[in-house]
Amino acid sequence: MTLLARWQQLLGIRPEEGRTVGLFFLHNFLLGIGTILVYVSANVILLENNPERNLPLAYAAAALCMIVAGKVYAHYEHHLGLQRVAVRVLLAVVALTAVLGVLVVVGHSVLAAVAIMAGYRVIYLLTNLEFWGVSAVVFDVRQGRRLFSVISSGDMPAKALGAVLALLIHHHTELLWLLLTAFGAYMGALLVLQRTNRSHLVEARSAARAQRTTAVAPGLQRWFGSSRVVLTMCLSMLAVAAVTTGIEYSFFVNVKHQFHDQAAVMRYVSSVLALAYLLALVVKLILTGPVLSRVGLRAVLLAPPAVLLVGLGLFGVVRSAGPDVLVLYFCGLFLTLEILRRAVFDPVFLVLFQPLPAEERLQAHTLAKGVYEPLGMALAGGLLFALHVQPELGQTFTFVWMGLLLVVALFYLHRTYGHYLAELQHAVSRRFGFADEEPTLTSAAKGTDVVISPAEVEAQIAALSDKSTRAAATETLLALGEQALPALLEVLRTSPDEALIRRVAQLCGHIRHSASRQALVTLAQHLNLFRREAALRALRHATPVAAEAPAFQALVQEEMRLAQQLLHGLASTHDKTVRASLDYELARVQQRIFGLLQQLYPSHLIADAQRGVAHATRERQANALEVLDNLIPRPVYQGLQTLLEVGPVAEKARRLDALLGGFTASGSIFTAIISRGETAFSDWTISLALQHWQPEQATVGLLVPHLQSANLLVRESALGALARLKREQPATYTQLLTAHQALSDLLMSHSASISHISAAERVAVLQGTALFAATPANVLSSIVPIMKEVSFPAGHQIFAKGDLGTSLFIVHEGEVGVFTGSQQLATFRKGDFFGELALLDAEPRSASAVAQTDVVAFRLDQEDFYDVMEERGEVLRNILRVLCQRLRRQNEMVK
């Protein structure tokens, strides 16, 4: 690993993010150089005389200018778009810096000093809005949590450099050189921005969302937007900005009183600024991201005002101390403020707006920074000027109002976090309707007064296995309700029929009774993971029960252990087919974990998050992960995040090892799969494991259950493994037959029933068909049992135009022509399919199909296929996708 890669890993930067982070860091570095040099220039002049009066006036004037600049920025951001306005902002900053240079040369009055300070604040605001506006649309909420502290660290070394430069300033005329340097830095930032625009889409775009159920009152939306998180955050910003201004003022004034010599004042202030920015840099780069991940957003959000409140409280202890102690106290308070503000509060504040739609996100940032932060500064300026007018109020007055404002900030920041969670939930919720609304049952489904015999109930349950009677039997059993429950629960306990258990579990899920829930909870703890999935589907609408939480938490850990084993298996093989199969098994683990979490936390939130992480857009995925991060325990979230996020398999396995403890494999992943078999893995995964397995004398007995499997694919693969064992390890083969004498008869039976085309070949046929090409082989294997091999001689009419269509055909050998009358419309060859619409509706055929040569094909009948689609939703989704693509192409041809 290179030094750069190690550094990026330390900072939490992923390889694909390195270039983007570098551009933003450099951009912020250049902005920081320019801004701090203007800041130093303004303070050099303001501290020359009467700062008690001049600083409050400068704060008030700067606040007014910032509000005006913020409004102008918001107008052009809305009308020009972010990418164009960002460039214009930097051009305006360059021009404003030139104006300040003229003021420094020709203006030496207090008015000029106030104008320079106001100019600095406007430059700071505009560069801040431009930088964070671009960042907010380039990075999503998850990247924001990891990277905002890193990319915003660029201005820290720049500001430290500016503070050091201030140590060298002894004459008013030298300030012009600082402003010329700032001018060059802003030009460099403009070039970096243009390069960023070329490599990224800097545009505020968001998908449509559902209407908010709880929004800001209409009368306040003009000032706060429609989201409550913006309202509370803006009020928090007002209070925090006022306190920040008060602490900065107190520091400067007390230093001025202690060091009367202007050069000494500047040396002291510059040294403190340099130290503050360097410490903030270290905290931002090294600590902010990891601390945020470890303790969570709320704790980090509330920490700055809480710490500052404690710091203000210490004033009561040191107020009677000497001037030297007071200067050190104000120095420490200012240092603490700058570190918390730069390294903690600013990055977290920006993350809070990331769940908003992009347009609202930019508007919220402009409101907070361009209106409410200046209002806070103006409020502080007015209170500080009152202290200058009435000095008898004393410094205690300043500390009292700052303490009260910090309490207000804590209150609103606490509310902000709650609104942030609500905004996240809104961001991942469905646009229309209610997510996972429970099906409405008829009144009969709640129970009936009709009493029927147990034998009749059992007959209705048996009818669930027959396609022709299933619907009626389901309605009858739902109508019977609790009367049918004993028999249904007995099926869950004793039946070996997995399909029947799935249907009965769904019925139990609709019968609201403690016995049915307990049976489903017991089924969820079954070693057979397919039964667990059935139980979790039946329970997904149920309200979590606190007494059952330990059982479901244990199951979450069990699933995490299985995921850990699968990840190590993925890391140990390079076979693409095996890796794809193990990826599918990992996806099933994820689905079960989400199902278990629905029994531990509000089910609608978990369901929305589950849909969000599977969504195509990065922003929605990030919002869903953030919901989970703030909803479930951190160790569980970290494990689930490891499974969900894209990354090197070995690294993901290492992270799970760190969470769950070291992993010790008792054998290969193939041995583990064969050992658990069909109770834990799909038949395709077991088939691949049998093909790659190298048995030993101690483990060869694991092959026997698979030789006796009812699943054709598993049985064929087990026979292949046995034949390979006979060739490569004859002694072990003989030992196996001796230990299991019934195998000889079983082998003869298998030899007599071998089909023309094996189950594995049938999966390959489906994979080679466009209709199923995007469907995982683990899912396609469930179609194999309903594939009917059919043969047609040349010239045979497979179906005629007008016949009722009930089957899809897939060509395996030969050619099939499709005709309307004498006109041939198409020719289908190996791997092609036709008659696909019959899988979805039984309508008359629109054309005739004739075998042009001898044809071998597979027929899929509609009723059988409906059963597969009921169990495997991926099949239906892929069919609809392919049919939509065909329809779209036909529409394009018509146009």
Side-chain angles (χ1 to χ4, degrees):
M1 183 181 291
T2 64
L3 182 61
L4 177 61
R6 289 182 182 278
W7 181 242
Q8 289 179 344
Q9 186 180 46
L10 175 65
L11 299 180
I13 303 171
R14 294 172 182 168
E16 67 274 12
E17 298 167 341
R19 184 173 182 274
T20 301
V21 171
L23 285 173
F24 276 88
F25 186 92
L26 177 60
H27 184 49
N28 205 25
F29 177 80
L30 293 170
L31 291 180
I33 287 180
T35 304
I36 195 63
L37 293 179
V38 177
Y39 180 66
V40 168
S41 302
N43 280 292
V44 165
I45 300 173
L46 281 170
L47 292 177
E48 284 182 347
N49 52 62
N50 202 3
E52 292 88 345
R53 183 196 63 184
N54 294 343
L55 279 175
L57 290 175
Y59 292 144
L64 179 62
C65 294
M66 289 173 72
I67 292 173
V68 173
K71 290 293 185 182
V72 173
Y73 178 91
H75 172 79
Y76 284 107
E77 182 183 62
H78 178 72
H79 289 84
L80 293 179
L82 180 61
Q83 188 164 350
R84 294 172 65 189
V85 81
V87 175
R88 284 162 173 75
V89 161
L90 287 185
L91 291 173
V93 166
V94 169
L96 188 55
T97 306
V99 172
L100 293 184
V102 174
L103 284 176
V104 167
V105 172
V106 302
H108 300 278
S109 64
V110 172
L111 182 61
V114 170
I116 292 171
M117 175 58 80
Y120 154 72
R121 294 289 181 178
V122 170
I123 288 175
Y124 169 78
L125 171 68
L126 292 177
T127 54
N128 197 289
L129 292 177
E130 176 270 323
F131 178 76
W132 287 115
V134 175
S135 304
V137 298
V138 170
F139 299 106
D140 59 49
V141 65
R142 298 299 300 170
Q143 290 175 312
R145 287 188 65 166
R146 285 188 296 107
L147 300 176
F148 278 174
S149 60
V150 177
I151 64 173
S152 63
S153 299
D155 67 339
M156 293 296 101
K159 289 178 177 178
L161 175 62
V164 171
L165 287 175
L167 291 171
L168 307 176
I169 299 299
H170 300 290
H171 301 288
H172 189 275
T173 55
E174 294 177 354
L175 296 178
L176 182 60
W177 292 105
L178 292 185
L179 292 176
L180 288 175
T181 306
F183 184 90
Y186 288 135
M187 291 299 295
L190 179 60
L191 295 176
V192 174
L193 175 64
Q194 291 175 336
R195 187 167 182 178
T196 303
N197 289 340
R198 287 195 296 269
S199 58
H200 296 84
L201 179 63
V202 182
E203 185 179 0
R205 293 192 305 174
S206 291
R209 298 186 183 181
Q211 186 174 0
R212 288 186 178 91
T213 55
T214 56
V216 176
L220 296 176
Q221 290 187 7
R222 178 182 177 185
W223 302 102
F224 298 101
S226 57
S227 174
R228 291 186 177 183
V229 71
V230 180
L231 185 152
T232 52
M233 194 65 218
C234 285
L235 295 176
S236 304
M237 285 292 295
L238 189 152
V240 170
V243 174
T244 299
T245 304
I247 292 176
E248 180 185 282
Y249 168 87
S250 300
F251 168 69
F252 283 139
V253 169
N254 278 273
V255 169
K256 175 68 175 177
H257 289 166
Q258 179 68 13
F259 304 100
H260 298 288
D261 179 65
Q262 183 68 18
V265 169
M266 288 311 303
R267 281 196 299 270
Y268 191 87
V269 170
S270 300
S271 300
V272 172
L273 288 175
L275 180 60
Y277 293 136
L278 289 175
L279 289 175
L281 172 66
V282 174
V283 173
K284 261 191 173 186
L285 283 178
I286 307 299
L287 297 178
T288 302
V291 169
L292 187 57
S293 297
R294 183 174 297 276
V295 304
L297 190 65
R298 177 166 52 186
V300 175
L301 181 65
L302 297 177
V307 172
L308 289 176
L309 197 58
V310 172
L312 292 181
L314 292 176
F315 179 70
V317 178
V318 303
R319 60 183 299 180
S320 57
D324 293 339
V325 175
L326 278 175
V327 168
L328 288 176
Y329 165 75
F330 283 110
C331 175
L333 190 62
F334 181 76
L335 272 173
T336 303
L337 166 70
E338 285 298 294
I339 293 171
L340 290 175
R341 178 186 171 195
R342 308 289 182 180
V344 179
F345 188 76
D346 281 354
V348 174
F349 145 71
L350 291 156
V351 169
L352 292 170
F353 290 153
Q354 289 301 99
L356 296 170
E359 297 84 357
E360 291 187 32
R361 190 183 312 159
L362 297 177
Q363 179 192 24
H365 185 238
T366 304
L367 273 174
K369 285 290 186 180
V371 176
Y372 290 92
E373 191 173 62
L375 283 176
M377 184 189 302
L379 174 62
L383 291 170
L384 293 171
F385 192 77
L387 179 62
H388 169 70
V389 174
Q390 296 183 328
E392 62 273 9
L393 293 173
Q395 280 192 322
T396 304
F397 170 72
T398 302
F399 277 77
V400 168
W401 66 255
M402 286 196 297
L404 291 175
L405 286 176
L406 283 176
V407 172
V408 171
L410 277 171
F411 171 76
Y412 279 115
L413 287 174
H414 176 73
R415 298 288 299 273
T416 298
Y417 180 75
H419 295 320
Y420 167 73
L421 296 184
E423 195 62 46
L424 280 170
Q425 294 159 18
H426 171 253
V428 299
S429 62
R430 290 183 175 180
R431 183 181 174 191
F432 302 108
F434 296 95
D436 290 329
E437 185 176 356
E438 184 168 357
T440 303
L441 302 180
T442 63
S443 59
K446 300 175 184 177
T448 179
D449 294 333
V450 178
V451 179
I452 65 174
S453 67
E456 290 175 302
V457 174
E458 292 177 2
Q460 292 296 325
I461 293 174
L464 292 173
S465 299
D466 188 332
K467 289 189 288 287
S468 61
T469 58
R470 183 179 302 152
T474 299
E475 290 293 329
T476 301
L477 290 168
L478 283 174
L480 291 171
E482 293 180 16
Q483 286 189 58
L485 197 54
L488 292 172
L489 300 185
E490 183 64 22
V491 170
L492 292 182
R493 285 193 295 268
T494 61
S495 176
D497 187 341
E498 301 296 337
L500 180 60
I501 285 178
R502 283 194 297 272
R503 296 185 180 102
V504 169
Q506 287 299 310
L507 286 170
C508 290
H510 290 303
I511 299 174
R512 297 302 186 208
H513 192 275
S514 59
S516 63
R517 179 176 177 86
Q518 185 56 49
L520 290 173
V521 172
T522 302
L523 187 65
Q525 299 175 68
H526 202 283
L527 292 176
N528 188 313
L529 300 185
F530 292 92
R531 298 192 179 192
R532 179 177 298 173
E533 290 172 358
L536 293 175
R537 280 196 295 270
L539 287 167
R540 68 181 181 271
H541 297 298
T543 303
V545 176
E548 297 166 354
F552 287 112
Q553 288 166 351
L555 292 177
V556 169
Q557 291 302 309
E558 181 184 315
E559 294 289 354
M560 287 291 185
R561 287 285 182 187
L562 178 57
Q564 183 184 24
Q565 187 176 43
L566 290 170
L567 283 173
H568 280 279
L570 272 167
S572 66
T573 181
H574 298 288
D575 187 288
K576 291 183 179 179
T577 306
V578 173
R579 290 176 68 88
S581 182
L582 295 180
D583 277 332
Y584 175 82
E585 300 296 345
L586 269 175
R588 285 185 56 216
V589 170
Q590 294 168 20
Q591 290 174 356
R592 289 194 297 270
I593 290 175
F594 275 112
L596 293 167
L597 292 176
Q598 283 184 290
Q599 302 308 308
L600 293 167
Y601 308 99
S603 59
H604 68 285
L605 297 183
I606 297 295
D608 285 343
Q610 184 178 9
R611 282 190 298 271
V613 296
H615 203 270
T617 62
R618 189 190 70 185
E619 181 177 329
R620 192 174 176 88
Q621 292 172 351
N623 288 333
L625 284 172
E626 190 72 0
V627 168
L628 292 171
D629 193 6
N630 289 276
L631 185 63
I632 64 179
R634 181 148 296 276
V636 176
Y637 169 74
Q638 289 175 332
L640 188 56
Q641 180 190 28
T642 300
L643 299 181
L644 294 172
E645 291 189 338
V646 178
V649 173
E651 173 62 20
K652 294 171 77 169
R654 186 194 63 77
R655 287 165 60 185
L656 269 193
D657 289 347
L659 283 171
L660 304 176
F663 175 76
T664 304
S666 56
S668 70
I669 184 63
F670 304 122
T671 302
I673 291 170
I674 293 167
S675 175
R676 296 191 65 174
E678 293 175 71
T679 63
F681 300 100
S682 64
D683 53 3
W684 179 252
T685 300
I686 299 169
S687 171
L688 292 177
L690 287 166
Q691 293 172 31
H692 291 81
W693 185 44
Q694 297 296 326
E696 301 173 356
Q697 285 190 348
T699 60
V700 72
L702 297 174
L703 187 60
V704 176
H706 301 296
L707 290 167
Q708 301 169 340
S709 173
N711 185 284
L712 177 62
L713 179 61
V714 172
R715 196 165 64 245
E716 286 181 354
S717 299
L719 283 169
L722 188 63
R724 193 168 63 252
L725 181 69
K726 182 179 180 180
R727 292 193 308 270
E728 298 174 0
Q729 302 179 51
T732 305
Y733 174 80
T734 303
Q735 178 185 349
L736 180 65
L737 291 185
T738 302
H740 303 274
Q741 296 182 2
L743 284 183
S744 299
D745 295 336
L746 188 64
L747 292 175
M748 293 178 62
S749 173
H750 283 319
S751 299
S753 62
I754 292 176
S755 63
H756 175 59
I757 302 173
S758 70
E761 289 177 310
R762 295 181 184 219
V763 173
V765 168
L766 293 173
Q767 286 181 309
T769 305
L771 192 61
F772 301 108
T775 306
N778 303 68
V779 177
L780 295 179
S781 62
S782 63
I783 302 177
V784 167
I786 67 169
M787 294 174 69
K788 297 178 175 64
E789 184 179 337
V790 292
S791 300
F792 305 102
H796 181 84
Q797 187 177 65
I798 300 172
F799 56 75
K801 182 178 180 180
D803 289 351
L804 192 64
T806 59
S807 303
L808 159 82
F809 293 88
I810 300 173
V811 180
H812 184 60
E813 295 176 2
E815 294 184 359
V816 175
V818 176
F819 296 86
T820 296
S822 59
Q823 181 182 5
Q824 183 170 351
L825 302 178
T827 300
F828 295 111
R829 299 179 178 84
K830 182 173 183 177
D832 292 332
F833 61 93
F834 58 96
E836 66 277 6
L837 292 179
L839 289 182
L840 302 179
D841 66 342
E843 294 292 329
R845 301 286 190 181
S846 58
S848 300
V850 178
Q852 295 184 296
T853 64
D854 290 344
V855 171
V856 176
F858 293 103
R859 190 183 77 228
L860 301 179
D861 295 330
Q862 186 190 78
E863 288 191 357
D864 294 331
F865 203 74
Y866 277 173
D867 287 340
V868 173
M869 288 191 294
E870 179 185 339
E871 300 172 12
R872 304 282 190 150
E874 306 100 313
V875 175
L876 177 60
R877 284 194 293 271
N878 280 286
I879 287 178
L880 292 176
R881 180 183 56 79
V882 172
L883 293 180
C884 287
Q885 289 175 349
R886 285 192 168 191
L887 182 61
R888 190 175 292 110
R889 285 196 296 269
Q890 290 176 356
N891 289 339
E892 290 173 354
M893 291 174 63
V894 170
K895 291 178 182 179

